[in-house]
Amino acid sequence: MATPLLSLDTQHQDMVHDAKLDYYAKRLATCSSDRLIKVYDILEDQHYQLAADIQSHDGPVWQIDWAHPKFGTILASCSYDGKVIIHKEESPGQWQQIYVYQEMSSSVNSIAWAPHEYDLCLACCSADGKVVVLSHNQNDTWSASLFPEFCPLGVNSVTWAPFGSPQGEGLPAKRLATASCDNMVRIWVLPEGEREWKIEDELKQHTDWVRDVAWAPSIGLPCNTLASCSEDGSVLIWSQDTVPGPWSCTVVTKMDAPVWSVSWSITGSVLAVSSGDSSVTLWKESLDRSWVEINNVNEDLNQPPVSEVADIHS
């Protein structure tokens, strides 16, 4: 059973779109259609305290992501206003914008920090089909690496391959995956020493927009694993045993509602699935390689819909 550590009323004035714990699980950030980002301190007595309201966007804020603490207290956000904003806490409760990227011509749908071994790099994707990686330079400036255009219908999600994931022979390479409105998941690669990202694989199985994609954490197994979900209600697991090599596809479940989000546990053994009927379910692979539902979070919590309350689970 998924036992909640804490439930909180975010006091947002509109729908909450994302909630992220920091590296140490001591702080929670939330974002909403009310254009606000809220940061909470999680206290030892299972209480919480509002630490800051950040108002930097001119539209609904879709997603937030904490950078690794080796770079300081840094929080990135993306919004319907077409901006990606990187905030840094200069003193307790005082947040400053350290970089704003506003070259997208449409809503920025998703952001993801790279593994910290790649330094401070942020991948972003937008509804106009653009994907860009923002990189912090030694002189405290930022540079943008724009991907070749591949899906004018729009890109919904981006995720990085873990550092140390299987790469095959040759030079080390950075990899990430995108989920887009042409019903495909794409794998991108940037070999060491090169400047241009290239498509390595295109994964075709969904029959409607792919809403989210998540690369499983690397736990030493000699394979790459992705989860994806779609408007068609399906949740898929993609596995690659050798690099380069083909990706195999396993159906986790087919729901009656669109599936909006997938997220791995820190060990990569449990997959959380959030769907359009306000349900959050947890899935685990069995010994015969099939996936079984092990928990329905909403039934256990007996709480209001996830749009009203942000829940922190173990």
Side-chain angles (χ1 to χ4, degrees):
M1 180 177 293
T3 305
L5 296 179
L6 177 68
S7 297
L8 63 90
D9 178 3
T10 65
Q11 297 184 357
H12 280 292
Q13 300 303 307
D14 210 327
M15 182 177 294
V16 177
H17 297 293
D18 198 13
K20 292 281 177 63
L21 288 167
D22 71 354
Y23 182 83
Y24 299 108
K26 295 295 186 182
R27 307 188 88 180
L28 174 73
T30 61
C31 62
S32 166
S33 281
D34 64 9
R35 307 181 183 184
L36 286 178
I37 300 168
K38 291 179 180 284
V39 180
Y40 301 87
D41 293 326
I42 307 301
L43 308 178
E44 294 184 359
D45 58 356
Q46 296 190 5
H47 287 78
Y48 63 94
Q49 178 176 295
L50 180 64
D53 278 331
I54 305 172
Q55 187 167 7
S56 52
H57 286 286
D58 299 319
V61 186
W62 301 134
Q63 205 169 73
I64 45 181
D65 200 21
W66 295 92
H68 191 277
K70 69 178 285 186
F71 304 110
T73 307
I74 294 177
L75 183 66
S77 60
C78 65
S79 167
Y80 180 81
D81 63 11
K83 297 177 184 177
V84 176
I85 301 180
I86 300 175
H87 312 81
K88 184 172 184 179
E89 189 177 36
E90 302 291 355
S91 60
Q94 300 299 314
W95 292 80
Q96 301 293 329
Q97 297 180 24
I98 61 173
Y99 184 68
V100 179
Y101 183 78
Q102 46 189 343
E103 301 302 319
M104 306 289 202
S105 60
S106 189
S107 170
V108 184
N109 293 330
S110 180
I111 52 175
W113 288 107
H116 67 87
E117 293 88 351
Y118 297 146
D119 294 326
L120 198 57
C121 298
L122 182 71
C124 322
C125 64
S126 68
D128 59 5
K130 291 185 174 66
V131 178
V132 65
V133 173
L134 306 176
S135 302
H136 183 258
N137 304 315
Q138 291 185 348
N139 61 358
D140 207 26
T141 61
W142 292 78
S143 57
S145 176
L146 190 64
F147 286 32
E149 292 192 22
F150 62 95
C151 182
L153 294 175
V155 185
N156 297 316
S157 180
V158 61
T159 180
W160 289 85
F163 181 80
S165 58
Q167 299 191 11
E169 299 179 357
L171 293 173
K174 299 175 184 176
R175 280 180 171 80
L176 57 78
T178 56
S180 50
C181 296
D182 60 0
N183 310 344
M184 283 203 287
V185 173
R186 288 178 175 85
I187 312 298
W188 298 81
V189 61
L190 179 67
E192 189 173 288
E194 297 190 16
R195 295 186 177 181
E196 184 175 333
W197 288 84
K198 300 176 182 178
I199 294 177
E200 185 177 61
D201 283 296
E202 293 182 331
L203 310 182
K204 306 174 185 178
Q205 186 69 32
H206 291 292
T207 59
D208 207 334
W209 290 8
V210 186
R211 282 296 182 181
D212 197 15
V213 60
W215 211 300
S218 178
I219 54 174
L221 297 177
C223 64
N224 286 306
T225 303
L226 287 166
S228 64
C229 63
S230 169
E231 283 278 333
D232 63 17
S234 64
V235 179
L236 306 179
I237 298 295
W238 304 90
S239 300
Q240 184 187 44
D241 295 328
T242 58
V243 182
W247 290 80
S248 62
C249 179
T250 301
V251 178
V252 175
T253 185
K254 184 71 165 65
M255 297 187 173
D256 295 329
V259 184
W260 289 91
S261 176
V262 286
S263 179
W264 294 96
S265 65
I266 194 170
T267 61
S269 60
V270 176
L271 181 69
V273 176
S274 174
S275 53
D277 58 3
S278 296
S279 69
V280 178
T281 52
L282 304 181
W283 299 78
K284 189 178 179 68
E285 188 178 23
S286 60
L287 294 177
D288 62 1
R289 302 296 298 272
S290 64
W291 287 78
V292 295
E293 181 181 335
I294 59 173
N295 195 260
N296 187 309
V297 175
N298 292 60
E299 291 179 358
D300 288 339
L301 293 178
N302 192 26
Q303 294 285 346
V306 293
S307 61
E308 299 178 12
V309 179
D311 296 309
I312 306 172
H313 307 287
S314 58

